[in-house]
Amino acid sequence: IHHAVADGWHLSRFFLDVQEIINTLNNPANGFNLALTLNFNPVNLSGLFNLQMIQNKVNEWWKLYCAYTLGRDASKYKTMNYIGTVEHFESNIHAHLSIKHPQKSMTDEFIYDEEQAIKILWKTVQMSGTVYLDKIFSDGWFYYQTKDINFQNHLIFSPN
């Protein structure tokens, strides 16, 4: 019984921690307004992917994306950032990113145009990669982003 109580306490603590992270991400002051999934779609999955490699590839894409969005002045890049989780290292590896983007009006046309640009930029980093972009409508995205029980061990962050 002692172990069941202890396991229940740990599980309860885990869900409280996850809820705290979701509340932080969902805080309007943090400005996360775009939900992006970057798929790697590796042709030959040979277990070569690890968290640092993923972080490096996403950072490489991020620099291109910041330059596309904000121009060449790297001092402006601080106005954008992301936090992401990586899932399924052994199969369909992909990253879910919450992005703080300076664009205030997230129209359907903006999302479509931005997704097209992101596709091009992502393919320069990960040739077999695909993307899916949408605006963050509610905290449901943050629940989805943190659905994996080990998500805390698979976090990636923007370099700026």
Side-chain angles (χ1 to χ4, degrees):
I1 291 180
H2 169 75
H3 291 288
V5 170
D7 288 347
W9 182 86
H10 288 291
L11 194 57
S12 172
R13 185 70 228 158
F14 169 78
F15 286 116
L16 287 173
D17 290 346
V18 170
Q19 188 61 53
E20 187 176 325
I21 290 168
I22 289 168
N23 291 344
T24 300
L25 291 170
N26 196 38
N27 184 336
N30 290 325
F32 291 114
N33 51 7
L34 287 178
L36 176 65
T37 299
L38 295 172
N39 298 296
F40 285 75
N41 304 331
V43 177
N44 294 322
L45 184 65
S46 58
L48 297 176
F49 287 96
N50 61 48
L51 191 61
Q52 187 59 55
M53 180 184 169
I54 298 303
Q55 178 75 71
N56 292 343
K57 283 191 169 279
V58 175
N59 284 352
E60 186 179 342
W61 165 79
W62 184 250
K63 289 176 190 170
L64 295 170
Y65 185 53
C66 285
Y68 164 79
T69 304
L70 302 169
R72 292 184 180 190
D73 182 358
S75 68
K76 294 180 181 177
Y77 296 178
K78 288 180 255 171
T79 62
M80 291 176 56
N81 60 52
Y82 73 80
I83 183 170
T85 57
V86 181
E87 295 181 340
H88 307 295
F89 284 86
E90 301 301 323
S91 57
N92 66 327
I93 189 164
H94 58 277
H96 297 296
L97 306 182
S98 294
I99 297 175
K100 175 184 175 184
H101 193 285
Q103 178 75 20
K104 298 299 178 210
S105 176
M106 297 287 170
T107 64
D108 290 343
E109 293 80 13
F110 170 80
I111 296 296
Y112 176 82
D113 292 343
E114 206 69 5
E115 185 178 62
Q116 298 313 305
I118 289 170
K119 282 179 185 177
I120 293 167
L121 297 172
W122 182 234
K123 285 195 176 288
T124 66
V125 174
Q126 183 66 27
M127 287 176 43
S128 60
T130 57
V131 305
Y132 176 75
L133 179 71
D134 207 345
K135 51 190 153 196
I136 295 177
F137 292 99
S138 69
D139 62 355
W141 170 251
F142 305 117
Y143 282 97
Y144 184 75
Q145 193 177 24
T146 58
K147 72 184 178 298
D148 187 281
I149 195 149
N150 292 317
F151 82 91
Q152 295 119 317
N153 299 323
H154 302 142
L155 291 172
I156 57 175
F157 303 92
S158 56
N160 40 338

